[in-house]
Amino acid sequence: MTLEQFRWKGEFPKIGIRPTIDGRRKGVRESLEAQTMGMATAVAELLSSTLRYPNGKPVQCVIADSTIGGVAESAACAEKFAREGVGVSITVTPCWCYGSETMDMDPSIPKAVWGFNGTERPGAVYLAAVLAAHAQKGLPAFGIYGEDVQDAADTSIPEDVKAKLIAFAKAGLAVAYMKGKSYLSMGSVSMGIAGSIVNDNFLQEYLGMRTEYIDMSEFVRRMDEGIYDPEEFEKALAWVKDNCKEGVDNNPEEIQQPRELKDQNWETVVKMTMIARDLMVGNPRLDELGFGEEAQGHNAVVSGFQGQRQWTDHFPNGDFMEAMLNSSFDWNGIRAPYLVATENDFLNGVVMLFGNLLTNTAQIFADVRTYWSKESVKRVTGYDLEGYAKEGMLHLINSGSATLDGTGVQSKDGQPVMKPFWEISEEEAQKCLDATSWRPASVEYFRGGGYSSNFLTRGGMPMTMARLNLVKGIGPVLQIAEGYSVDLPDDVHQTLNDRTDPTWPTTWFAPILTGEGAFTSVYEVMNNWGANHGAISYGHIGADLITLASMLRIPVNMHNVAKERIFRPKAWSLFGTENLEGVDYRACENFGPLYK
């Protein structure tokens, strides 16, 4: 078994399609069988052809063995779904059905109902009735109802219905996939950063995840005792020497590390990368080497590495390890990224996981470091900001841990993108490597040395920055800012970048302003950001994040997503139809964590 095959433990959650029908026989039910089952088949084909699992394979759908006209058939469907590993439920119908008898009653499975908009049979009436039942029973469901009336014989899925089905399914699969997985805390709290105080209650109650812990001394044990694949290490070290060019050392000459120590550090950071991966997902090769326990891993879909300061005061920093694992390729070729949060900021790591599951792309971890107003840029450089950045921009930069996909040198239709791993070519992976240099770490920060990735993100990419915060008395709160990466003239970038640590990767980011709330100015976005870190995903995925957050009962305190793009459970409207931020808070508080 290969490492990639071993990595994906168990079955991926499937989407269950529930075709419900009017149970009255002797003419009514019989006339609706073909149309109802046809809706189910069409939804299954749409989702299987559109969505993919994190390993790149098409999403699987399971359809009930029969249409569901009453409670017995509903129970049979539930039994089949449990047997088949269904994690997301979609009920479809063109007609009136018996709501509380045919509804999905599983409280932990995200659920949606598509009621056909036709005049021949009252599918919309059932939709309204069953959504009322869901709200009354405390099982919030998403309602899907096409804007335009369709003819009874029309077997197509309207575009607005398709969009909602896909949005619901993407978020629902993310919820289902996280359940039962682990967050691996490698070390503890880094430099007093609140996000690295790992809260296992949040992970358990809101995401259905467990928390696994190791001390960073486990890295030392595995290096000292040779608990890694020695053949892979030699292969990896040779690959690194060929593909990871070492950049200029910015340290004062008198404190620069000697060449011998730098070479030793390269060996150490490569071993750290292999060990962190093996800790997360295991490695069958370790079993062959006599390390059966270590071969199992911690079933972690995301992890965090404390690093500072107990590790980095003595050993090379974790920048190389984090950057390579977060990327979509390494010495073993192109593969799905492993998600590792810098400084063990599990709250940022969780948002990286959200973004990855919604897009299947690598995620950028960054400090939300500096707000640059157009006046400040003009004063320092003489340059007038323009384009996306004409009202100012944010400097996103962290200590060299960002994914190399974040260089933006992958392309589609001539535009810079970050792709799912199965779309990335060998040439594009090499371009990411060529666009990155590895700068010797600042030994004033990192006494043990190491290497930080250094690159500049290409401008023009649609991006979404998000952050999860924990608030005493409220719980988790999500914030979202859609925007674009920005290109600057080389000399302007250099002048601004040199004012901080120029050995780290930079993304210039301009959030989209709406003129309302926290998005009246770029300054207000920065001023309302809840922590020092942000997770950045390719694409404008704010609406998908809002849908996912509602499933998990996590309110969103700031976002710049247009109202018409927002898709939440129907019950949310029963908490009010104005001041939607307040509505979201009340609904999430009322229904509570998904797994509590």
Side-chain angles (χ1 to χ4, degrees):
M1 180 181 292
T2 67
L3 181 60
E4 278 300 291
Q5 291 170 329
F6 187 81
R7 172 182 180 178
W8 309 108
K9 293 180 175 63
E11 295 289 327
F12 286 99
K14 298 170 185 173
I15 300 173
I17 314 295
R18 307 175 71 256
T20 58
I21 199 166
D22 192 324
R24 290 171 285 201
R25 297 182 187 264
K26 297 185 178 180
V28 176
R29 177 166 181 160
E30 291 85 350
S31 69
L32 294 164
E33 287 282 1
Q35 184 183 7
T36 304
M37 193 57 79
M39 287 179 67
T41 302
V43 171
E45 289 175 351
L46 168 70
L47 299 178
S48 293
S49 63
T50 304
L51 302 177
R52 297 205 192 190
Y53 290 122
N55 67 349
K57 293 184 178 180
V59 163
Q60 294 185 46
C61 294
V62 175
I63 301 175
D65 288 336
S66 70
T67 54
I68 301 167
V71 69
E73 289 161 328
S74 184
C77 174
E79 182 181 345
K80 179 179 183 179
F81 283 7
R83 188 171 63 249
E84 295 282 347
V86 166
V88 183
S89 164
I90 300 176
T91 298
V92 301
T93 189
C95 60
W96 169 254
C97 314
Y98 302 156
S100 61
E101 296 182 21
T102 59
M103 65 187 287
D104 178 0
M105 293 286 288
D106 191 320
S108 65
I109 290 182
K111 49 188 99 301
V113 184
W114 172 28
F116 185 80
N117 185 0
T119 56
E120 290 81 3
R121 301 282 184 174
V125 179
Y126 169 72
L127 177 63
V130 79
L131 290 175
H134 278 286
Q136 188 168 321
K137 293 176 180 294
L139 303 170
F142 289 75
I144 301 174
Y145 180 56
E147 184 173 347
D148 297 319
V149 174
Q150 291 180 261
D151 297 330
D154 187 351
T155 59
S156 67
I157 303 177
E159 290 304 313
D160 60 332
V161 173
K162 282 183 182 179
K164 288 184 176 180
L165 285 168
I166 291 169
F168 167 78
K170 277 197 296 188
L173 285 168
V175 171
Y177 181 68
M178 288 186 286
K179 185 179 180 181
K181 303 298 193 301
S182 303
Y183 176 88
L184 176 61
S185 175
M186 298 184 288
S188 183
V189 180
S190 173
M191 301 184 295
I193 295 172
S196 61
I197 304 172
V198 179
N199 188 308
D200 58 352
N201 286 331
F202 162 75
L203 289 164
Q204 174 187 330
E205 294 178 0
Y206 283 87
L207 308 184
M209 292 175 60
R210 68 174 72 224
T211 310
E212 294 281 286
Y213 304 88
I214 62 136
D215 189 88
M216 290 182 293
S217 63
E218 177 65 5
F219 282 83
V220 180
R221 183 181 81 90
R222 293 197 180 204
M223 285 189 282
D224 287 352
E225 297 183 19
I227 308 176
Y228 56 86
D229 183 349
E231 294 178 3
E232 184 187 3
F233 170 68
E234 294 300 330
K235 172 185 176 181
L237 190 61
W239 181 89
V240 166
K241 289 178 179 178
D242 288 340
N243 293 281
C244 299
K245 57 179 182 285
E246 188 175 317
V248 176
D249 191 335
N250 268 41
N251 291 288
E253 190 172 349
E254 63 273 14
I255 62 172
Q256 290 183 11
Q257 293 183 325
R259 184 69 255 169
E260 181 181 3
L261 182 54
K262 288 181 178 179
D263 291 340
Q264 181 181 320
N265 285 346
W266 272 118
E267 296 184 9
T268 300
V269 298
V270 170
K271 290 177 183 177
M272 288 170 61
T273 306
M274 294 169 54
I275 289 169
R277 179 204 63 203
D278 293 351
L279 283 164
M280 287 181 68
V281 302
N283 188 341
R285 178 72 176 123
L286 297 183
D287 193 27
E288 297 171 7
L289 296 169
F291 303 108
E293 181 180 359
E294 292 85 350
Q296 295 303 306
H298 290 267
N299 196 29
V301 289
V302 59
S303 68
F305 181 69
Q306 174 193 337
Q308 298 183 78
R309 283 185 43 205
Q310 286 79 357
W311 180 269
T312 58
D313 277 5
H314 183 67
F315 293 103
N317 65 18
D319 287 5
F320 178 84
M321 171 187 76
E322 293 160 6
M324 288 310 307
L325 290 176
N326 281 322
S327 299
S328 300
F329 45 83
D330 60 17
W331 44 84
N332 290 320
I334 296 170
R335 42 85 179 143
Y338 299 85
L339 303 174
V340 186
T342 301
E343 296 159 342
N344 200 24
D345 184 346
F346 91 103
L347 291 172
N348 221 50
V350 163
V351 181
M352 292 170 70
L353 178 60
F354 290 173
N356 173 257
L357 292 177
L358 291 171
T359 67
N360 286 314
T361 60
Q363 304 291 297
I364 299 173
F365 184 112
D367 278 355
V368 185
R369 175 70 59 117
T370 309
Y371 158 65
W372 278 99
S373 68
K374 55 185 178 182
E375 293 81 7
S376 295
V377 173
K378 178 73 171 178
R379 178 181 62 82
V380 171
T381 69
Y383 176 70
D384 289 311
L385 288 175
E386 57 186 17
Y388 295 127
K390 63 183 179 181
E391 298 300 328
M393 60 187 181
L394 301 179
H395 193 181
L396 308 181
I397 181 172
N398 192 263
S399 60
S401 59
T403 171
L404 272 59
D405 299 56
T407 55
V409 296
Q410 300 167 24
S411 63
K412 186 174 184 179
D413 299 326
Q415 299 299 313
V417 297
M418 293 169 64
K419 297 179 178 179
F421 76 91
W422 58 84
E423 294 181 7
I424 300 172
S425 67
E426 294 285 352
E427 180 184 8
E428 287 176 316
Q430 190 62 51
K431 284 183 177 180
C432 292
L433 290 161
D434 293 342
T436 306
S437 66
W438 297 91
R439 306 289 292 276
S442 170
V443 293
E444 291 176 338
Y445 283 144
F446 306 110
R447 297 174 187 173
Y451 296 94
S452 297
S453 63
N454 179 228
F455 61 77
L456 174 61
T457 300
R458 287 180 64 191
M461 285 199 291
M463 306 183 101
T464 302
M465 182 170 74
R467 170 71 193 184
L468 191 66
N469 299 289
L470 289 180
V471 182
K472 183 75 170 180
I474 296 178
V477 176
L478 185 67
Q479 50 191 176
I480 300 165
E482 293 184 338
Y484 293 89
S485 59
V486 173
D487 280 328
L488 297 176
D490 290 344
D491 60 329
V492 175
H493 160 71
Q494 204 65 52
T495 298
L496 300 181
N497 206 50
D498 283 346
R499 293 173 68 99
T500 180
D501 194 317
T503 69
W504 298 343
T506 278
T507 302
W508 297 107
F509 177 72
I512 297 169
L513 302 180
T514 64
E516 298 179 356
F519 293 90
T520 56
S521 68
V522 179
Y523 171 80
E524 285 301 320
V525 175
M526 178 76 173
N527 198 37
N528 282 280
W529 207 248
N532 52 312
H533 293 150
I536 299 90
S537 180
Y538 174 77
H540 288 160
I541 65 165
D544 290 331
L545 285 167
I546 289 172
T547 297
L548 174 58
S550 68
M551 290 181 181
L552 299 170
R553 322 289 163 71
I554 298 173
V556 179
N557 77 296
M558 61 177 271
H559 69 80
N560 55 350
V561 179
K563 182 179 178 180
E564 57 270 18
R565 293 173 55 206
I566 295 174
F567 188 35
R568 288 181 169 125
K570 182 62 181 297
W572 262 236
S573 65
L574 301 177
F575 292 84
T577 55
E578 298 291 336
N579 183 16
L580 296 186
E581 281 185 0
V583 166
D584 190 29
Y585 272 80
R586 291 192 294 274
C588 289
E589 181 182 17
N590 178 75
F591 291 115
L594 190 57
Y595 302 104
K596 190 170 182 179

